[in-house]
Amino acid sequence: MNSTQLRTQGPSGVAPLNATKASRILGILVIVIGIGFFLGGSIGWFTVKSQLADEQITVSDNGESHAGKKVEGPFTAFAQANAVKKDVLEATAGRTFAQLEMDEPVREMALQGASVRTSLLTSALSFGVSSLAASSGISFVLLGSALILRTRRD
């Protein structure tokens, strides 16, 4: 191989990737990843929403917000979690499950309340993670599109 062939083909005999082609390939890859993030986030959001709706939970009337509404989203899940906390603390004289003695009769109710509250807060958090994934996916698609459009100008 002479020096001209090395510059055009590279040491392995394969032509090196030019910057325009590399940017286009990277743009397509970023778009595909973005679509995956968006789909994953969207599927996560609607799965959690569907699972919450199947439980047929309604926000308690003593809730600070969203009273009487079906728990199907992050705000109603959070509102019902707070209503459960309020009810449990009222029944236990302001003490949490961990603060109750083993033989206290309200301990089982406090445990159930803590479990329900944890599940509702986990659902609210799941909505946030799903939103983050979906919005990141949109950002990736835009970034990948910008990379591809940039290569067309070059």
Side-chain angles (χ1 to χ4, degrees):
M1 257 187 215
N2 62 36
S3 62
T4 305
Q5 287 176 319
L6 276 175
R7 274 185 263 133
T8 58
Q9 293 183 347
S12 65
V14 178
L17 207 56
N18 66 32
T20 302
K21 193 169 188 176
S23 292
R24 188 173 297 133
I25 291 170
L26 181 61
I28 291 168
L29 181 63
V30 170
I31 288 173
V32 169
I33 291 170
I35 290 169
F37 268 65
F38 179 77
L39 290 175
S42 298
I43 290 168
W45 177 280
F46 289 108
T47 299
V48 174
K49 181 177 174 59
S50 170
Q51 294 296 313
L52 275 175
D54 287 350
E55 293 298 322
Q56 299 180 0
I57 303 167
T58 303
V59 179
S60 299
D61 290 333
N62 66 347
E64 295 175 10
S65 63
H66 305 286
K69 290 185 179 178
K70 296 260 186 215
V71 176
E72 296 179 338
F75 300 112
T76 52
F78 192 74
Q80 181 58 19
N82 285 337
V84 168
K85 178 182 179 181
K86 182 179 175 182
D87 290 343
V88 169
L89 290 176
E90 186 177 299
T92 61
R95 294 176 296 162
T96 64
F97 169 75
Q99 295 170 322
L100 295 170
E101 297 297 325
M102 293 294 284
D103 60 346
E104 289 191 59
V106 292
R107 186 172 168 83
E108 183 65 30
M109 188 268 305
L111 175 61
Q112 289 175 356
S115 297
V116 169
R117 181 170 155 70
T118 300
S119 295
L120 289 166
L121 291 174
T122 301
S123 295
L125 179 64
S126 296
F127 280 113
V129 171
S130 295
S131 295
L132 177 64
S135 61
S136 294
I138 292 169
S139 297
F140 281 137
V141 168
L142 293 173
L143 178 64
S145 299
L147 280 169
I148 292 171
L149 290 173
R150 181 180 169 267
T151 62
R152 289 190 179 163
R153 279 190 276 143
D154 292 343

